[in-house]
Amino acid sequence: MTETGENFAVAEAANRTPEIKPKAGVSHGVRVMRNTAIVFLSRGLGLLLAGGASVLLARYLGVVRMGEYGAVYAYVGLFGWLATWGFNPIVAREAAKRRDQAASIVFTGVCVSAAFSAVAVIAALALSPLIRMGGRFFPLLAIAAVEILLLVPFGLPGVIFQVDLKQWYSSGFGLLRQGIWFVIVVALYLTGAPLLYVILGRLTVAAVEAGLNWYAGHRFLAGPRRYITLTGRMFIVHGSAIALSTLAYGVYLRIDQVMLHSMVGDRTLGPYVVAVRVAELFEALPLAFISSLYPLLCTSTGDTIRFNRYLDLAYRYMIFAAVGLSVALCVGARPIIHLIYGTQYAGAAPLIAVLIWSEIGSFFGTVLNTGLLAKNLQNYSPWPPVVGAVINVGLNFYFIPRWHAMGAAWATVISYWLCWSLVPAFFGPSRRVFWVGFRPLAGLTAIGLLVSGAAFLLPVNDWVRVGLAVPSFAVIAWLIRYIQWEDFGFLGASWRGV
């Protein structure tokens, strides 16, 4: 529901980057498959570590401090678009096109990025009193701003790993960061440290990852480093569209938490932050899956039938996964929260039961945007998040004073569904990519809602409901042929073709 805009931007850069000549004895397809496998593995392990850290953090911080923690990072995250300005994918693209000048290109990107990061930090701190984030929150904001905004330029040399198809470096550094963070959270949990130490711990692991990217990235950036004025201007101009998309994503992903903090308070925000963390935990799944399918989509754009076949497969499997998760977490929200987070977060259960249905729109949007990028229609990608941001802010202003956290949850679900299931249909080129996935979106969601509603009517234990609802959804989806066994063989054969 955070990394989405940046990941789409990276995919765009990959789409516009010429093929890299592989080393002797290693085929391009093998290198792509090897990188994909590493990304899958690292994301899976990182997901486990992140989930464990999130649970421990919520348990020891408690409801109020968890709300404060969520408010700090939600607010600072709103300025991420200004700090990044879409530089990473553009720097990667230019470095791939002019590999012999990569050192100077990256150096230029670092210089421009440093200026934008500094402006982002100043803006975040200066505007904080307007939404009740000043006073005792100010030191926490300053530390979080260094982590989220000021460290951005130091990680930029890591784009060379994408250029040289050496993603195991960035994947390994990200996994190491999650591992160190988990250890720090365990130590904080055992010692009962204050919130300040949590923020400092996050800064520490972020600095370690940025330092590794800086050091290892420069090992592959041989040659002179000089600032290229024209390239610097191009970064700013070409990054503006990506920055707009990132801003829109940031608003409709995080503004609800900032508004709850400002309009209601952190005691109400705490359970909502936990609900959001649980829902967002699974967003790595579509990104990992689509990273495998993306090369196939790109190579089949000239064959409409084959392209739509790949796209249909991606839509069906991602929507099936999203609705299955929605059914499980909607029906089982109460026992899952009690088991993992404890009774102090009981108020998060009904919020998760509502919020989780927004993930269907998120999964659908990931596939839709990837299809648009593969078709070189990325200019249509910013419209759904921009419309979603406007709707989300408007609904939150109306819903939060009346229904507090539950109002914010419904605002999120409504805005996600409206922006992803309606906006792309208004444009002819994006409509063709959108319609391929609309049937499974409508059909599987309807099945999921019916199964969830029926499960709540059963006079049985909550765990029994989950045990009946999830298999029932899967069986019905299979009987109606939304999921087909031959797809697995088709996908494997397609990869062997690549």
Side-chain angles (χ1 to χ4, degrees):
M1 285 183 268
T2 80
E3 303 175 346
T4 312
E6 201 62 40
N7 277 287
F8 291 155
V10 172
E12 176 185 348
N15 189 36
R16 298 170 63 182
T17 298
E19 184 178 8
I20 302 168
K21 186 178 180 180
K23 293 181 179 180
V26 182
S27 72
H28 187 71
V30 169
R31 299 180 72 193
V32 170
M33 287 292 289
R34 182 172 60 190
N35 280 282
T36 298
I38 291 169
V39 170
F40 260 103
L41 179 61
S42 63
R43 284 185 182 273
L45 294 175
L47 189 65
L48 293 175
L49 292 170
S54 177
V55 171
L56 288 176
L57 198 61
R59 279 183 169 271
Y60 105 81
L61 283 179
V63 173
V64 176
R65 288 195 299 171
M66 189 65 182
E68 295 173 350
Y69 172 81
V72 166
Y73 281 99
Y75 172 73
V76 174
L78 291 176
F79 296 86
W81 66 278
L82 182 57
T84 59
W85 200 257
F87 289 133
N88 278 46
I90 299 174
V91 171
R93 183 189 70 199
E94 296 304 311
K97 288 181 176 179
R98 297 176 281 163
R99 186 60 182 85
D100 57 324
Q101 295 181 284
S104 294
I105 291 170
V106 171
F107 176 74
T108 302
V110 168
C111 293
V112 178
S113 177
F116 275 80
S117 297
V119 172
V121 170
I122 294 171
L125 297 180
L127 297 175
S128 60
L130 298 179
I131 54 168
R132 297 171 55 191
M133 294 297 291
R136 64 187 181 88
F137 285 101
F138 195 82
L140 303 179
L141 282 179
I143 298 170
V146 173
E147 174 204 341
I148 303 296
L149 308 176
L150 207 57
L151 288 180
V152 168
F154 294 94
L156 198 56
V159 300
I160 200 64
F161 306 140
Q162 179 189 2
V163 173
D164 290 348
L165 291 179
K166 298 179 184 294
Q167 282 96 327
W168 53 83
Y169 279 94
S170 52
S171 297
F173 296 158
L175 186 58
L176 178 63
R177 171 179 177 164
Q178 292 289 359
I180 297 174
W181 174 235
F182 182 80
V183 172
I184 290 176
V185 170
V186 171
L188 294 171
Y189 177 81
L190 295 175
T191 59
L195 182 57
L196 173 64
Y197 288 88
V198 178
I199 309 295
L200 287 172
R202 282 195 46 152
L203 174 59
T204 300
V205 296
V208 169
E209 183 182 27
L212 289 171
N213 276 295
W214 178 273
Y215 172 75
H218 278 98
R219 291 179 56 197
F220 298 97
L221 292 169
R225 296 179 177 85
R226 63 183 184 85
Y227 184 84
I228 308 175
T229 304
L230 291 178
T231 300
R233 292 175 182 171
M234 182 268 294
F235 286 161
I236 296 173
V237 174
H238 287 198
S240 58
I242 299 174
L244 175 62
S245 297
T246 307
L247 170 61
Y249 278 111
V251 169
Y252 89 81
L253 291 174
R254 291 289 174 258
I255 196 65
D256 49 356
Q257 297 179 49
V258 175
M259 294 176 71
L260 277 171
H261 163 82
S262 179
M263 300 169 70
V264 181
D266 293 323
R267 184 170 294 279
T268 300
L269 176 58
Y272 187 82
V273 171
V274 166
V276 170
R277 293 288 191 274
V278 172
E280 289 182 348
L281 193 62
F282 301 99
E283 290 189 354
L285 295 177
L287 295 173
F289 176 80
I290 210 67
S291 69
S292 300
L293 200 63
Y294 183 68
L296 299 178
L297 290 170
C298 291
T299 57
S300 63
T301 52
D303 185 340
T304 302
I305 295 177
R306 191 159 62 98
F307 178 84
N308 287 343
R309 182 74 171 91
Y310 291 138
L311 195 62
D312 172 69
L313 183 146
Y315 273 128
R316 285 188 288 109
Y317 277 80
M318 286 299 93
I319 297 171
F320 174 82
V323 178
L325 287 169
S326 298
V327 170
L329 287 174
C330 178
V331 176
R334 185 170 58 184
I336 290 171
I337 286 295
H338 285 185
L339 176 65
I340 299 177
Y341 288 95
T343 56
Q344 64 177 326
Y345 287 104
L351 299 176
I352 291 175
V354 174
L355 268 176
I356 192 61
W357 295 96
S358 67
E359 288 302 298
I360 301 173
S362 179
F363 279 44
F364 180 84
T366 300
V367 180
L368 173 67
N369 271 287
T370 306
L372 292 176
L373 292 170
K375 281 282 194 178
N376 200 26
L377 299 172
Q378 59 273 2
N379 290 339
Y380 296 94
S381 294
W383 286 107
V386 168
V387 173
V390 173
I391 294 174
N392 191 273
V393 172
L395 290 177
N396 274 308
F397 268 118
Y398 182 79
F399 287 173
I400 288 177
R402 291 164 175 78
W403 301 293
H404 297 179
M406 184 57 74
W410 277 109
T412 297
V413 174
I414 293 171
S415 61
Y416 272 47
W417 272 89
L418 288 179
C419 75
W420 291 115
S421 63
L422 289 180
V423 175
F426 281 97
F427 304 100
S430 63
R431 188 185 305 128
R432 288 189 287 272
V433 177
F434 165 80
W435 278 119
V436 175
F438 183 76
R439 177 178 171 272
L441 175 67
L444 286 170
T445 302
I447 295 170
L449 289 171
L450 289 173
V451 169
S452 299
F456 280 115
L457 297 177
L458 298 175
V460 295
N461 177 275
D462 287 331
W463 289 112
V464 175
R465 285 195 183 98
V466 177
L468 292 173
V470 175
S472 298
F473 165 73
V475 169
I476 295 173
W478 179 70
L479 289 175
I480 305 179
R481 294 188 62 79
Y482 281 115
I483 296 298
Q484 304 167 23
W485 294 117
E486 55 265 29
D487 289 336
F488 293 102
F490 173 77
L491 188 60
S494 299
W495 263 117
R496 287 191 294 272
V498 173

PDB file of all heavy atoms in Angstrom, residues 320-321 323-325 327-328 444 447-448 451 466-485:
ATOM      1  N   PHE A 320      -7.266 -13.773  -7.087  1.00  0.00           N
ATOM      2  CA  PHE A 320      -7.587 -14.958  -6.282  1.00  0.00           C
ATOM      3  C   PHE A 320      -6.850 -14.911  -4.947  1.00  0.00           C
ATOM      4  O   PHE A 320      -7.439 -15.161  -3.882  1.00  0.00           O
ATOM      5  CB  PHE A 320      -7.213 -16.222  -7.050  1.00  0.00           C
ATOM      6  CG  PHE A 320      -7.367 -17.487  -6.256  1.00  0.00           C
ATOM      7  CD1 PHE A 320      -8.610 -18.088  -6.124  1.00  0.00           C
ATOM      8  CD2 PHE A 320      -6.276 -18.086  -5.639  1.00  0.00           C
ATOM      9  CE1 PHE A 320      -8.763 -19.253  -5.382  1.00  0.00           C
ATOM     10  CE2 PHE A 320      -6.409 -19.244  -4.896  1.00  0.00           C
ATOM     11  CZ  PHE A 320      -7.660 -19.832  -4.772  1.00  0.00           C
ATOM     12  N   ALA A 321      -5.565 -14.578  -4.975  1.00  0.00           N
ATOM     13  CA  ALA A 321      -4.787 -14.486  -3.738  1.00  0.00           C
ATOM     14  C   ALA A 321      -5.318 -13.380  -2.837  1.00  0.00           C
ATOM     15  O   ALA A 321      -5.452 -13.559  -1.615  1.00  0.00           O
ATOM     16  CB  ALA A 321      -3.308 -14.251  -4.063  1.00  0.00           C
ATOM     17  N   VAL A 323      -8.377 -11.973  -2.752  1.00  0.00           N
ATOM     18  CA  VAL A 323      -9.699 -12.269  -2.190  1.00  0.00           C
ATOM     19  C   VAL A 323      -9.593 -13.383  -1.153  1.00  0.00           C
ATOM     20  O   VAL A 323     -10.270 -13.344  -0.114  1.00  0.00           O
ATOM     21  CB  VAL A 323     -10.696 -12.648  -3.307  1.00  0.00           C
ATOM     22  CG1 VAL A 323     -12.055 -12.999  -2.712  1.00  0.00           C
ATOM     23  CG2 VAL A 323     -10.847 -11.506  -4.297  1.00  0.00           C
ATOM     24  N   GLY A 324      -8.748 -14.373  -1.414  1.00  0.00           N
ATOM     25  CA  GLY A 324      -8.549 -15.434  -0.421  1.00  0.00           C
ATOM     26  C   GLY A 324      -8.034 -14.885   0.898  1.00  0.00           C
ATOM     27  O   GLY A 324      -8.513 -15.264   1.985  1.00  0.00           O
ATOM     28  N   LEU A 325      -7.058 -13.985   0.838  1.00  0.00           N
ATOM     29  CA  LEU A 325      -6.554 -13.341   2.052  1.00  0.00           C
ATOM     30  C   LEU A 325      -7.645 -12.506   2.717  1.00  0.00           C
ATOM     31  O   LEU A 325      -7.752 -12.472   3.953  1.00  0.00           O
ATOM     32  CB  LEU A 325      -5.355 -12.450   1.711  1.00  0.00           C
ATOM     33  CG  LEU A 325      -4.053 -13.153   1.374  1.00  0.00           C
ATOM     34  CD1 LEU A 325      -3.042 -12.159   0.799  1.00  0.00           C
ATOM     35  CD2 LEU A 325      -3.476 -13.820   2.622  1.00  0.00           C
ATOM     36  N   VAL A 327     -10.894 -12.984   2.620  1.00  0.00           N
ATOM     37  CA  VAL A 327     -11.851 -13.881   3.282  1.00  0.00           C
ATOM     38  C   VAL A 327     -11.269 -14.377   4.609  1.00  0.00           C
ATOM     39  O   VAL A 327     -11.940 -14.348   5.649  1.00  0.00           O
ATOM     40  CB  VAL A 327     -12.197 -15.074   2.368  1.00  0.00           C
ATOM     41  CG1 VAL A 327     -12.999 -16.128   3.132  1.00  0.00           C
ATOM     42  CG2 VAL A 327     -12.981 -14.601   1.150  1.00  0.00           C
ATOM     43  N   ALA A 328     -10.010 -14.825   4.581  1.00  0.00           N
ATOM     44  CA  ALA A 328      -9.392 -15.367   5.788  1.00  0.00           C
ATOM     45  C   ALA A 328      -9.294 -14.333   6.893  1.00  0.00           C
ATOM     46  O   ALA A 328      -9.629 -14.601   8.057  1.00  0.00           O
ATOM     47  CB  ALA A 328      -8.003 -15.911   5.449  1.00  0.00           C
ATOM     48  N   LEU A 444     -14.620 -12.901  -8.602  1.00  0.00           N
ATOM     49  CA  LEU A 444     -13.968 -13.438  -7.405  1.00  0.00           C
ATOM     50  C   LEU A 444     -14.330 -12.628  -6.165  1.00  0.00           C
ATOM     51  O   LEU A 444     -14.492 -13.183  -5.071  1.00  0.00           O
ATOM     52  CB  LEU A 444     -12.452 -13.468  -7.600  1.00  0.00           C
ATOM     53  CG  LEU A 444     -11.934 -14.554  -8.542  1.00  0.00           C
ATOM     54  CD1 LEU A 444     -10.456 -14.335  -8.865  1.00  0.00           C
ATOM     55  CD2 LEU A 444     -12.133 -15.938  -7.927  1.00  0.00           C
ATOM     56  N   ILE A 447     -17.777 -13.673  -5.023  1.00  0.00           N
ATOM     57  CA  ILE A 447     -17.708 -14.972  -4.349  1.00  0.00           C
ATOM     58  C   ILE A 447     -17.154 -14.809  -2.933  1.00  0.00           C
ATOM     59  O   ILE A 447     -17.678 -15.376  -1.961  1.00  0.00           O
ATOM     60  CB  ILE A 447     -16.832 -15.956  -5.154  1.00  0.00           C
ATOM     61  CG1 ILE A 447     -17.481 -16.262  -6.500  1.00  0.00           C
ATOM     62  CG2 ILE A 447     -16.611 -17.250  -4.371  1.00  0.00           C
ATOM     63  CD1 ILE A 447     -16.571 -17.020  -7.448  1.00  0.00           C
ATOM     64  N   GLY A 448     -16.089 -14.007  -2.803  1.00  0.00           N
ATOM     65  CA  GLY A 448     -15.479 -13.797  -1.496  1.00  0.00           C
ATOM     66  C   GLY A 448     -16.430 -13.147  -0.505  1.00  0.00           C
ATOM     67  O   GLY A 448     -16.488 -13.543   0.667  1.00  0.00           O
ATOM     68  N   VAL A 451     -19.169 -15.753   0.502  1.00  0.00           N
ATOM     69  CA  VAL A 451     -18.623 -16.777   1.400  1.00  0.00           C
ATOM     70  C   VAL A 451     -18.380 -16.196   2.789  1.00  0.00           C
ATOM     71  O   VAL A 451     -18.709 -16.824   3.810  1.00  0.00           O
ATOM     72  CB  VAL A 451     -17.328 -17.360   0.819  1.00  0.00           C
ATOM     73  CG1 VAL A 451     -16.596 -18.219   1.860  1.00  0.00           C
ATOM     74  CG2 VAL A 451     -17.616 -18.191  -0.413  1.00  0.00           C
ATOM     75  N   VAL A 466     -13.151 -19.845   9.755  1.00  0.00           N
ATOM     76  CA  VAL A 466     -12.036 -19.634   8.823  1.00  0.00           C
ATOM     77  C   VAL A 466     -11.730 -20.926   8.068  1.00  0.00           C
ATOM     78  O   VAL A 466     -11.517 -20.922   6.842  1.00  0.00           O
ATOM     79  CB  VAL A 466     -10.786 -19.148   9.572  1.00  0.00           C
ATOM     80  CG1 VAL A 466      -9.603 -18.989   8.610  1.00  0.00           C
ATOM     81  CG2 VAL A 466     -11.063 -17.829  10.278  1.00  0.00           C
ATOM     82  N   GLY A 467     -11.721 -22.040   8.808  1.00  0.00           N
ATOM     83  CA  GLY A 467     -11.427 -23.332   8.191  1.00  0.00           C
ATOM     84  C   GLY A 467     -12.438 -23.757   7.160  1.00  0.00           C
ATOM     85  O   GLY A 467     -12.116 -24.537   6.246  1.00  0.00           O
ATOM     86  N   LEU A 468     -13.669 -23.256   7.268  1.00  0.00           N
ATOM     87  CA  LEU A 468     -14.700 -23.565   6.275  1.00  0.00           C
ATOM     88  C   LEU A 468     -14.738 -22.540   5.145  1.00  0.00           C
ATOM     89  O   LEU A 468     -14.957 -22.897   3.984  1.00  0.00           O
ATOM     90  CB  LEU A 468     -16.068 -23.617   6.960  1.00  0.00           C
ATOM     91  CG  LEU A 468     -16.309 -24.762   7.943  1.00  0.00           C
ATOM     92  CD1 LEU A 468     -17.650 -24.573   8.653  1.00  0.00           C
ATOM     93  CD2 LEU A 468     -16.276 -26.108   7.225  1.00  0.00           C
ATOM     94  N   ALA A 469     -14.518 -21.266   5.487  1.00  0.00           N
ATOM     95  CA  ALA A 469     -14.680 -20.191   4.497  1.00  0.00           C
ATOM     96  C   ALA A 469     -13.604 -20.237   3.422  1.00  0.00           C
ATOM     97  O   ALA A 469     -13.909 -20.139   2.220  1.00  0.00           O
ATOM     98  CB  ALA A 469     -14.675 -18.839   5.204  1.00  0.00           C
ATOM     99  N   VAL A 470     -12.340 -20.366   3.818  1.00  0.00           N
ATOM    100  CA  VAL A 470     -11.246 -20.281   2.842  1.00  0.00           C
ATOM    101  C   VAL A 470     -11.293 -21.436   1.839  1.00  0.00           C
ATOM    102  O   VAL A 470     -11.233 -21.203   0.618  1.00  0.00           O
ATOM    103  CB  VAL A 470      -9.881 -20.216   3.564  1.00  0.00           C
ATOM    104  CG1 VAL A 470      -8.735 -20.251   2.556  1.00  0.00           C
ATOM    105  CG2 VAL A 470      -9.800 -18.954   4.419  1.00  0.00           C
ATOM    106  N   PRO A 471     -11.405 -22.702   2.280  1.00  0.00           N
ATOM    107  CA  PRO A 471     -11.514 -23.785   1.277  1.00  0.00           C
ATOM    108  C   PRO A 471     -12.764 -23.651   0.404  1.00  0.00           C
ATOM    109  O   PRO A 471     -12.716 -23.980  -0.788  1.00  0.00           O
ATOM    110  CB  PRO A 471     -11.579 -25.057   2.137  1.00  0.00           C
ATOM    111  CG  PRO A 471     -10.980 -24.674   3.444  1.00  0.00           C
ATOM    112  CD  PRO A 471     -11.353 -23.240   3.647  1.00  0.00           C
ATOM    113  N   SER A 472     -13.858 -23.177   0.994  1.00  0.00           N
ATOM    114  CA  SER A 472     -15.080 -23.006   0.200  1.00  0.00           C
ATOM    115  C   SER A 472     -14.867 -22.002  -0.922  1.00  0.00           C
ATOM    116  O   SER A 472     -15.287 -22.224  -2.069  1.00  0.00           O
ATOM    117  CB  SER A 472     -16.231 -22.542   1.095  1.00  0.00           C
ATOM    118  OG  SER A 472     -16.523 -23.505   2.089  1.00  0.00           O
ATOM    119  N   PHE A 473     -14.209 -20.900  -0.598  1.00  0.00           N
ATOM    120  CA  PHE A 473     -13.910 -19.907  -1.637  1.00  0.00           C
ATOM    121  C   PHE A 473     -13.029 -20.510  -2.731  1.00  0.00           C
ATOM    122  O   PHE A 473     -13.290 -20.315  -3.936  1.00  0.00           O
ATOM    123  CB  PHE A 473     -13.217 -18.697  -1.017  1.00  0.00           C
ATOM    124  CG  PHE A 473     -12.555 -17.805  -2.021  1.00  0.00           C
ATOM    125  CD1 PHE A 473     -13.308 -16.996  -2.857  1.00  0.00           C
ATOM    126  CD2 PHE A 473     -11.167 -17.801  -2.161  1.00  0.00           C
ATOM    127  CE1 PHE A 473     -12.704 -16.195  -3.811  1.00  0.00           C
ATOM    128  CE2 PHE A 473     -10.557 -16.997  -3.097  1.00  0.00           C
ATOM    129  CZ  PHE A 473     -11.319 -16.196  -3.930  1.00  0.00           C
ATOM    130  N   ALA A 474     -11.982 -21.241  -2.334  1.00  0.00           N
ATOM    131  CA  ALA A 474     -11.060 -21.817  -3.315  1.00  0.00           C
ATOM    132  C   ALA A 474     -11.772 -22.819  -4.222  1.00  0.00           C
ATOM    133  O   ALA A 474     -11.563 -22.840  -5.443  1.00  0.00           O
ATOM    134  CB  ALA A 474      -9.891 -22.480  -2.589  1.00  0.00           C
ATOM    135  N   VAL A 475     -12.622 -23.657  -3.642  1.00  0.00           N
ATOM    136  CA  VAL A 475     -13.328 -24.671  -4.426  1.00  0.00           C
ATOM    137  C   VAL A 475     -14.285 -24.015  -5.417  1.00  0.00           C
ATOM    138  O   VAL A 475     -14.349 -24.405  -6.598  1.00  0.00           O
ATOM    139  CB  VAL A 475     -14.090 -25.636  -3.492  1.00  0.00           C
ATOM    140  CG1 VAL A 475     -15.029 -26.528  -4.296  1.00  0.00           C
ATOM    141  CG2 VAL A 475     -13.102 -26.492  -2.706  1.00  0.00           C
ATOM    142  N   ILE A 476     -15.038 -23.018  -4.959  1.00  0.00           N
ATOM    143  CA  ILE A 476     -15.981 -22.337  -5.855  1.00  0.00           C
ATOM    144  C   ILE A 476     -15.232 -21.653  -7.001  1.00  0.00           C
ATOM    145  O   ILE A 476     -15.644 -21.712  -8.166  1.00  0.00           O
ATOM    146  CB  ILE A 476     -16.828 -21.326  -5.072  1.00  0.00           C
ATOM    147  CG1 ILE A 476     -17.716 -22.045  -4.060  1.00  0.00           C
ATOM    148  CG2 ILE A 476     -17.687 -20.490  -6.021  1.00  0.00           C
ATOM    149  CD1 ILE A 476     -18.454 -21.114  -3.124  1.00  0.00           C
ATOM    150  N   ALA A 477     -14.102 -20.981  -6.671  1.00  0.00           N
ATOM    151  CA  ALA A 477     -13.312 -20.312  -7.708  1.00  0.00           C
ATOM    152  C   ALA A 477     -12.785 -21.311  -8.726  1.00  0.00           C
ATOM    153  O   ALA A 477     -12.752 -21.029  -9.935  1.00  0.00           O
ATOM    154  CB  ALA A 477     -12.163 -19.546  -7.060  1.00  0.00           C
ATOM    155  N   TRP A 478     -12.402 -22.495  -8.260  1.00  0.00           N
ATOM    156  CA  TRP A 478     -11.897 -23.522  -9.175  1.00  0.00           C
ATOM    157  C   TRP A 478     -13.021 -24.093 -10.036  1.00  0.00           C
ATOM    158  O   TRP A 478     -12.847 -24.304 -11.239  1.00  0.00           O
ATOM    159  CB  TRP A 478     -11.231 -24.631  -8.364  1.00  0.00           C
ATOM    160  CG  TRP A 478     -10.712 -25.749  -9.214  1.00  0.00           C
ATOM    161  CD1 TRP A 478      -9.651 -25.725 -10.075  1.00  0.00           C
ATOM    162  CD2 TRP A 478     -11.256 -27.071  -9.296  1.00  0.00           C
ATOM    163  NE1 TRP A 478      -9.487 -26.945 -10.686  1.00  0.00           N
ATOM    164  CE2 TRP A 478     -10.465 -27.791 -10.231  1.00  0.00           C
ATOM    165  CE3 TRP A 478     -12.322 -27.715  -8.682  1.00  0.00           C
ATOM    166  CZ2 TRP A 478     -10.721 -29.115 -10.544  1.00  0.00           C
ATOM    167  CZ3 TRP A 478     -12.568 -29.051  -8.991  1.00  0.00           C
ATOM    168  CH2 TRP A 478     -11.777 -29.726  -9.920  1.00  0.00           C
ATOM    169  N   LEU A 479     -14.194 -24.317  -9.435  1.00  0.00           N
ATOM    170  CA  LEU A 479     -15.314 -24.869 -10.187  1.00  0.00           C
ATOM    171  C   LEU A 479     -15.779 -23.914 -11.282  1.00  0.00           C
ATOM    172  O   LEU A 479     -16.199 -24.351 -12.369  1.00  0.00           O
ATOM    173  CB  LEU A 479     -16.477 -25.173  -9.237  1.00  0.00           C
ATOM    174  CG  LEU A 479     -16.275 -26.355  -8.285  1.00  0.00           C
ATOM    175  CD1 LEU A 479     -17.445 -26.463  -7.313  1.00  0.00           C
ATOM    176  CD2 LEU A 479     -16.113 -27.665  -9.068  1.00  0.00           C
ATOM    177  N   ILE A 480     -15.709 -22.608 -11.017  1.00  0.00           N
ATOM    178  CA  ILE A 480     -16.132 -21.616 -12.018  1.00  0.00           C
ATOM    179  C   ILE A 480     -14.977 -21.303 -12.975  1.00  0.00           C
ATOM    180  O   ILE A 480     -15.110 -20.470 -13.871  1.00  0.00           O
ATOM    181  CB  ILE A 480     -16.651 -20.350 -11.309  1.00  0.00           C
ATOM    182  CG1 ILE A 480     -17.771 -20.717 -10.330  1.00  0.00           C
ATOM    183  CG2 ILE A 480     -17.195 -19.324 -12.284  1.00  0.00           C
ATOM    184  CD1 ILE A 480     -18.342 -19.549  -9.565  1.00  0.00           C
ATOM    185  N   ARG A 481     -13.834 -21.966 -12.756  1.00  0.00           N
ATOM    186  CA  ARG A 481     -12.666 -21.889 -13.648  1.00  0.00           C
ATOM    187  C   ARG A 481     -11.974 -20.530 -13.628  1.00  0.00           C
ATOM    188  O   ARG A 481     -11.409 -20.097 -14.625  1.00  0.00           O
ATOM    189  CB  ARG A 481     -13.032 -22.284 -15.087  1.00  0.00           C
ATOM    190  CG  ARG A 481     -13.423 -23.742 -15.220  1.00  0.00           C
ATOM    191  CD  ARG A 481     -13.601 -24.162 -16.654  1.00  0.00           C
ATOM    192  NE  ARG A 481     -12.370 -24.036 -17.435  1.00  0.00           N
ATOM    193  CZ  ARG A 481     -11.363 -24.901 -17.406  1.00  0.00           C
ATOM    194  NH1 ARG A 481     -11.406 -25.952 -16.617  1.00  0.00           N
ATOM    195  NH2 ARG A 481     -10.307 -24.710 -18.157  1.00  0.00           N
ATOM    196  N   TYR A 482     -12.017 -19.856 -12.492  1.00  0.00           N
ATOM    197  CA  TYR A 482     -11.166 -18.681 -12.337  1.00  0.00           C
ATOM    198  C   TYR A 482      -9.716 -19.113 -12.124  1.00  0.00           C
ATOM    199  O   TYR A 482      -8.792 -18.361 -12.415  1.00  0.00           O
ATOM    200  CB  TYR A 482     -11.645 -17.823 -11.162  1.00  0.00           C
ATOM    201  CG  TYR A 482     -12.837 -16.965 -11.500  1.00  0.00           C
ATOM    202  CD1 TYR A 482     -14.060 -17.172 -10.883  1.00  0.00           C
ATOM    203  CD2 TYR A 482     -12.746 -15.951 -12.446  1.00  0.00           C
ATOM    204  CE1 TYR A 482     -15.163 -16.390 -11.193  1.00  0.00           C
ATOM    205  CE2 TYR A 482     -13.844 -15.166 -12.773  1.00  0.00           C
ATOM    206  CZ  TYR A 482     -15.049 -15.393 -12.136  1.00  0.00           C
ATOM    207  OH  TYR A 482     -16.131 -14.615 -12.457  1.00  0.00           O
ATOM    208  N   ILE A 483      -9.534 -20.317 -11.585  1.00  0.00           N
ATOM    209  CA  ILE A 483      -8.212 -20.906 -11.423  1.00  0.00           C
ATOM    210  C   ILE A 483      -8.191 -22.205 -12.205  1.00  0.00           C
ATOM    211  O   ILE A 483      -9.080 -23.053 -12.038  1.00  0.00           O
ATOM    212  CB  ILE A 483      -7.903 -21.167  -9.933  1.00  0.00           C
ATOM    213  CG1 ILE A 483      -7.840 -19.842  -9.176  1.00  0.00           C
ATOM    214  CG2 ILE A 483      -6.585 -21.915  -9.778  1.00  0.00           C
ATOM    215  CD1 ILE A 483      -6.758 -18.898  -9.646  1.00  0.00           C
ATOM    216  N   GLN A 484      -7.172 -22.365 -13.061  1.00  0.00           N
ATOM    217  CA  GLN A 484      -7.091 -23.531 -13.923  1.00  0.00           C
ATOM    218  C   GLN A 484      -5.719 -24.178 -13.771  1.00  0.00           C
ATOM    219  O   GLN A 484      -4.688 -23.499 -13.805  1.00  0.00           O
ATOM    220  CB  GLN A 484      -7.318 -23.117 -15.379  1.00  0.00           C
ATOM    221  CG  GLN A 484      -8.636 -22.390 -15.615  1.00  0.00           C
ATOM    222  CD  GLN A 484      -8.705 -21.720 -16.965  1.00  0.00           C
ATOM    223  OE1 GLN A 484      -8.003 -22.109 -17.890  1.00  0.00           O
ATOM    224  NE2 GLN A 484      -9.550 -20.700 -17.088  1.00  0.00           N
ATOM    225  N   TRP A 485      -5.709 -25.497 -13.608  1.00  0.00           N
ATOM    226  CA  TRP A 485      -4.452 -26.197 -13.370  1.00  0.00           C
ATOM    227  C   TRP A 485      -3.491 -26.051 -14.547  1.00  0.00           C
ATOM    228  O   TRP A 485      -2.270 -26.021 -14.368  1.00  0.00           O
ATOM    229  CB  TRP A 485      -4.715 -27.680 -13.094  1.00  0.00           C
ATOM    230  CG  TRP A 485      -5.457 -27.937 -11.827  1.00  0.00           C
ATOM    231  CD1 TRP A 485      -6.689 -28.507 -11.682  1.00  0.00           C
ATOM    232  CD2 TRP A 485      -5.020 -27.608 -10.500  1.00  0.00           C
ATOM    233  NE1 TRP A 485      -7.054 -28.556 -10.364  1.00  0.00           N
ATOM    234  CE2 TRP A 485      -6.049 -28.017  -9.612  1.00  0.00           C
ATOM    235  CE3 TRP A 485      -3.876 -27.024  -9.966  1.00  0.00           C
ATOM    236  CZ2 TRP A 485      -5.955 -27.858  -8.244  1.00  0.00           C
ATOM    237  CZ3 TRP A 485      -3.773 -26.854  -8.597  1.00  0.00           C
ATOM    238  CH2 TRP A 485      -4.803 -27.270  -7.749  1.00  0.00           C
TER     239      TRP A 485
END
